[in-house]
């Protein structure tokens, strides 16, 4: 299972970075979504991988999953949803306004 | 347990929805509540800073749950000082926004402004790395809204860059937190610090990785080269009061570096040895150089000021990365100076824009109120470039003298001194084109409609910031003494750690201890 989780995180990250480097809004937003999925799985894995154990800490429990990463992932998912929505709206506004979906500075201005 | 420390976070969190829901169509009520809120926050922040000034560490356990399982807010000398600086800056920025009518050019300026303050202040006060991430997101979400306030294509384009770059930064932050949690099993800063100090050589890869990733994330926030390239467009295109408020946002990155790398990863730790001197210091020196060269090369006044911000942030980072008590004192003094100077400069850029309509550095007819604006520009430019008599000069002297005993003294001195010279040239070139050459250009027929004089309140806001800078210079003695006491507290984190971890909360028996 370690191999599966690790390679899933790796592939998601690689895809995310590749899409982010395309420098056009739609691929970049998709790439960042992939990266956030990768980071969410990574956060899960940071509490050690366990199967069939409840995330409950109480007396008499023999096996349990670490509950904290699950809380962290929950927060991270909510935040990344909100952020992606904001990014999509701003990117859409920018695209409709300037008819151009590149996200680097336009040529000719003193962007140096 | 005092409840005062949570108020600067709660107050804007209540005010902002109130402004959106109840005062949506009444700009007057919005302004009144926003101003009243900021003034109240200044009072609270001053009280907190006063309480912390004798070395007390103010601890607030949310829901009375004891750290490291509960969330804590911690106020020591450094964080209360930064909160006070934020609220004071916010007051002048708000006055300017009201005086210039910027808050009326789009919707929800005041609500977003309050959320922004909540995020910044929360980031300064939190004692937990995951909550640092959450408060970063709060301040970023508000800053996205503020950044594209009043709309326009150029602003939206810059906004896309800004949002996406910060999203990448947030993702990196989460990777760092995951790695750190996997190694230490906790994210409370004091607890992490304790466990990392105990870690032996075999299990340090994840810690090293987390330290480097965290440094990268904070360097993005602080706009250190090579992670600075989001800043020029974003700051130049953002509305002037927003850019002025953003002057404190780069300092959030600097604050996080100071906090995490004095307490969690102190410089004498084997795991992260060499991170400051061999990586951060060169990057900071290059930032100073790039900032000042960009300042000389800029063709627009707003870009010029944005590069000045990169340069002055680099200066702060140079002082931080030397990592001695004296250099930290210099860094803290320079942080206060550069926040005020950068904010004043961004507001002055807007005074120029009000009169001219554009910011190209070409000779154009005289703007209304040019005498006063040019005087303000000169004072702010002197401060930013680090010429005597203002606080930039004292700050640079402190940095130079802190660098003297270190082996890299030649590099630091050369970069700081040469870049200051370049900054002086750049600012005087811009000032002379904008204000002196304007006299020789007759007013054109089409300029009449965009000629408007900035309001008195705008001038008061800029003047107030410059007066604060002057006070920072006049009281440099007491200020540096206080900064020295801050850095002394920073390099001696045991009271902080024992206060955070030793205070019992709900369900913990006092005898248990740590």
């Amino acid at each position: 299972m370690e191999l599966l989780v690790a390679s899933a995180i790796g592939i998601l990250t690689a895809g995310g970075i590749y899409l982010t480097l395309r420098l056009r809004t739609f691929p970049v937003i998709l790439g960042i979504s992939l990266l956030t999925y990768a980071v969410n799985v990574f956060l899960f894995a940071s509490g050690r991988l366990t199967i069939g154990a409840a995330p409950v800490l109480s007396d008499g429990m023999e096996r349990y999953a670490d509950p904290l990463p699950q809380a962290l992932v929950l927060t991270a998912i909510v935040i990344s949803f909100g952020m992606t929505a904001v990014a999509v709206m701003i990117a859409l506004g920018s695209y409709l306004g300037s008819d151009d979906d590149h996200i680097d500075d336009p040529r000719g201005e003193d962007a140096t | 347990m005092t409840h005062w420390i949570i108020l600067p976070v709660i107050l804007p969190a209540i005010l902002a929805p109130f402004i959106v829901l109840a005062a949506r169509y009444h700009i007057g009520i919005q302004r009144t509540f926003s101003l009243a809120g900021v003034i109240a926050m200044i009072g609270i922040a001053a009280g907190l800073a006063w309480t912390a000034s004798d070395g007390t560490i103010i601890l607030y356990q949310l829901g009375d749950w004891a750290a490291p399982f509960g969330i804590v807010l911690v106020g020591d000398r450094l964080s209360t000082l930064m909160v006070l600086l934020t609220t004071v800056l916010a007051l002048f920025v708000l006055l300017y926004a009201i005086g210039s009518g910027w808050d009326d050019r789009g919707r929800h300026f005041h609500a977003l402004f309050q959320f922004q303050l909540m995020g910044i202040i929360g980031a300064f006060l939190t004692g937990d790395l995951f909550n640092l991430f959450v408060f970063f997101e709060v301040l970023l979400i508000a800053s996205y809204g503020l950044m594209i306030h009043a709309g326009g294509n150029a602003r939206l384009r810059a906004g896309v860059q800004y949002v996406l770059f910060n999203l990448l930064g947030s993702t990196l932050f989460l990777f760092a937190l995951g790695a750190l949690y996997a190694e230490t099993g906790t994210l409370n800063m004091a607890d992490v610090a304790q466990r990392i100090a105990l870690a032996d050589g075999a299990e340090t890869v994840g810690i090293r990785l987390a330290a480097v990733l965290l440094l990268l994330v904070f360097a993005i926030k602080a706009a250190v080269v090579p992670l600075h390239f989001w800043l020029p467009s974003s700051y130049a295109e953002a509305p002037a009061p927003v850019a002025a408020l953003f002057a404190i946002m780069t300092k959030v990155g600097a604050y996080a570096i100071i906090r995490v790398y004095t307490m969690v990863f102190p410089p004498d730790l084997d795991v992260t040895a060499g991170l400051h001197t061999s990586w951060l210091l060169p990057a900071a020196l290059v930032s100073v150089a790039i900032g000042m060269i960009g300042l000389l090369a800029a063709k627009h006044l707003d870009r010029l000021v944005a590069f000045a911000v990169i340069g002055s942030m680099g200066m702060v980072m140079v002082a931080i990365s030397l990592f001695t008590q004296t250099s930290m004192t210099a860094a803290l003094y320079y942080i206060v100076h550069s926040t005020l100077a950068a904010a004043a400069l961004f507001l002055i850029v807007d005074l120029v824009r009000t009169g001219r309509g554009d910011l190209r550095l070409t000779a154009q007819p005289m703007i209304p109120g040019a005498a006063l604006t040019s005087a303000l520009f000169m004072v702010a430019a002197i401060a930013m470039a680090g010429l005597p008599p203002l606080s930039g000069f004292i700050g640079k002297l402190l940095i130079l003298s802190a660098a003297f005993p270190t082996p890299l003294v030649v590099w630091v001195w050369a970069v700081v001194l040469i870049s200051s010279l370049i900054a002086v040239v750049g600012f005087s070139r811009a000032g002379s084109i904008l204000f002196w050459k304007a006299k020789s250009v007759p007013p054109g027929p089409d300029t009449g409609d965009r000629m408007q004089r900035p309001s008195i309140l705008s001038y008061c806001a800029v003047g107030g910031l410059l007066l604060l800078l002057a006070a920072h210079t006049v009281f440099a003695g007491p200020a540096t003494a206080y900064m020295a006491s801050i850095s002394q507290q920073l390099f001696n984190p045991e009271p902080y750690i024992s206060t955070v971890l030793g205070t019992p909360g709900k369900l913990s028996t006092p005898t248990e201890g740590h």
Side-chain angles (χ1 to χ4, degrees):
Chain A
M1 188 167 69
E2 281 83 359
L3 180 71
L4 205 63
V5 172
S7 42
I9 296 172
I11 291 167
L12 281 172
T13 311
I17 291 174
Y18 172 76
L19 286 175
T20 308
L21 294 178
R22 297 288 300 275
L23 287 182
R24 309 191 65 152
T25 49
F26 187 64
V28 170
I29 288 172
L30 276 187
I32 287 180
S33 304
L34 284 186
L35 278 176
T36 43
Y37 293 141
V39 82
N40 289 342
V41 179
F42 181 73
L43 278 183
F44 258 123
S46 72
R48 306 290 179 270
L49 297 169
T50 43
I51 295 179
V56 180
L57 290 172
S58 62
D59 296 334
M61 288 287 284
E62 287 294 309
R63 294 175 62 244
Y64 52 83
D66 193 345
L68 198 90
Q70 314 215 358
L72 300 187
V73 170
L74 199 63
T75 317
I77 288 175
V78 172
I79 289 177
S80 69
F81 265 154
M83 290 290 184
T84 312
V86 173
V88 168
M89 290 309 293
I90 296 177
L92 202 61
S94 161
Y95 173 63
L96 294 176
S98 56
D99 209 21
D100 181 10
D101 69 344
H102 284 86
I103 57 170
D104 43 347
D105 270 332
R107 275 163 210 274
E109 289 188 15
D110 57 358
T112 42
Chain B
M1 186 164 64
T2 168
H3 288 267
W4 285 103
I5 188 167
I6 191 133
L7 268 182
V9 184
I10 294 280
L11 193 64
I14 294 172
L15 267 178
F18 175 80
I19 289 172
V20 175
L21 294 173
R24 202 168 184 163
Y25 304 106
H26 307 280
I27 190 76
I29 301 179
Q30 288 186 11
R31 287 172 172 175
T32 317
F33 273 93
S34 208
L35 263 181
V38 169
I39 291 170
M41 276 189 270
I42 291 179
I44 298 165
L48 287 174
W50 178 253
T51 315
S53 63
D54 60 353
T56 317
I57 296 185
I58 313 167
L59 179 75
Y60 188 83
Q61 299 168 327
L62 278 93
D64 201 23
W65 296 101
F69 301 106
I71 294 166
V72 286
L73 295 184
V74 190
D76 63 351
R77 285 188 183 130
L78 174 63
S79 45
T80 51
L81 175 80
M82 295 304 286
V83 172
L84 186 60
L85 178 64
T86 311
T87 49
V88 171
L89 177 71
L91 176 69
F92 288 105
V93 169
L94 202 57
L95 284 179
Y96 186 88
I98 293 171
S100 61
W102 263 110
D103 58 343
D104 208 12
R105 288 184 209 174
R107 278 193 286 170
H108 306 313
F109 179 87
H110 291 289
L112 288 168
F113 192 85
Q114 295 292 331
F115 274 130
Q116 172 92 68
L117 287 182
M118 175 193 165
I120 296 174
I121 292 173
F124 287 142
L125 288 179
T126 183
D128 183 290
L129 280 171
F130 192 76
N131 282 288
L132 187 64
F133 165 76
V134 173
F135 279 119
F136 267 17
E137 298 304 303
V138 172
L139 77 87
L140 284 176
I141 273 219
S143 78
Y144 301 156
L146 284 176
M147 155 94 221
I148 56 167
H149 175 78
N153 286 342
R155 195 163 290 147
L156 277 172
R157 260 193 94 107
V160 173
Q161 267 180 30
Y162 176 70
V163 172
L164 292 176
F165 201 77
N166 277 301
L167 273 176
L168 280 174
S170 307
T171 316
L172 267 187
F173 201 166
L174 280 176
F175 271 119
L177 292 182
L180 198 60
Y181 184 79
E183 290 293 333
T184 62
T186 177
L187 286 173
N188 182 290
M189 284 192 235
D191 204 18
V192 175
Q194 234 178 19
R195 289 181 192 215
I196 285 180
L198 296 175
D200 59 356
E203 47 185 310
T204 53
V205 182
I207 296 174
R208 232 184 138 79
L209 184 79
V212 175
L213 279 178
L214 277 179
L215 191 64
L216 273 181
V217 174
F218 299 149
I220 290 176
K221 295 279 176 296
V224 179
V225 171
L227 301 164
H228 69 290
F229 46 81
W230 59 275
L231 191 140
S233 294
S234 326
Y235 279 40
E237 296 300 342
V242 176
L245 184 66
F246 281 8
I248 194 81
M249 294 235 304
T250 41
K251 308 305 182 296
V252 176
Y255 164 82
I257 290 180
I258 295 177
R259 171 68 73 212
V260 170
Y261 289 85
T262 52
M263 190 164 70
V264 181
F265 307 108
D268 51 351
L269 200 69
D270 288 338
V271 185
T272 51
L275 202 56
H276 318 292
T277 41
S278 48
W279 291 104
L280 193 58
L281 187 59
L285 288 174
V286 176
S287 310
V288 175
I290 289 210
M292 296 314 174
I293 293 169
L295 189 157
L296 192 60
K299 298 193 191 81
H300 293 80
L301 186 61
D302 46 3
R303 299 247 167 195
L304 181 142
V305 176
F307 276 102
V309 168
I310 293 180
S312 80
M313 241 0 258
M315 205 69 84
V316 170
M317 297 311 298
V318 167
I320 290 176
S321 56
L322 291 170
F323 246 90
T324 59
Q325 276 201 26
T326 44
S327 80
M328 205 55 86
T329 309
L332 293 169
Y333 185 83
Y334 206 83
I335 281 178
V336 175
H337 151 78
S338 106
T339 308
L340 298 171
L345 267 176
F346 274 118
L347 297 182
I348 292 165
V349 168
D350 194 58
L351 290 180
V352 175
R353 184 184 348 231
T354 320
R356 286 167 51 123
D358 73 46
L359 288 167
R360 277 177 296 128
L361 287 176
T362 50
Q364 288 182 23
M366 195 66 107
I367 58 172
L372 194 49
T373 308
S374 59
L376 292 172
F377 179 80
M378 192 178 86
V379 175
I382 284 175
M384 200 59 162
L387 285 182
L390 282 172
S391 49
F393 177 68
I394 300 173
K396 281 188 183 170
L397 269 187
L398 286 171
I399 294 174
L400 291 179
S401 74
F404 194 66
T406 62
L408 288 157
V409 54
V410 182
W411 285 98
V412 175
W413 278 53
V415 171
V416 169
L417 292 177
I418 295 174
S419 67
S420 302
L421 178 68
I422 299 177
V424 173
V425 174
F427 273 119
S428 36
R429 181 185 70 114
S432 56
I433 290 175
L434 283 177
F435 301 112
W436 272 356
K437 285 194 182 166
K439 279 199 168 163
S440 56
V441 182
D446 59 331
T447 51
D449 53 336
R450 64 181 192 217
M451 290 287 205
Q452 38 174 302
R453 182 177 283 273
S455 70
I456 306 284
L457 196 54
S458 315
Y459 282 124
C460 288
V462 181
L465 281 173
L466 293 180
L467 275 183
L468 279 182
L469 264 183
H472 194 47
T473 316
V474 172
F475 297 107
T480 41
Y482 190 61
M483 304 303 175
S485 72
I486 293 179
S487 61
Q488 195 249 332
Q489 194 180 35
L490 282 172
F491 281 91
N492 178 25
E494 280 78 28
Y496 183 107
I497 294 175
S498 61
T499 310
V500 171
L501 295 180
T503 311
K506 199 190 282 180
L507 295 184
S508 62
T509 45
T511 50
E512 207 176 72
H514 279 270

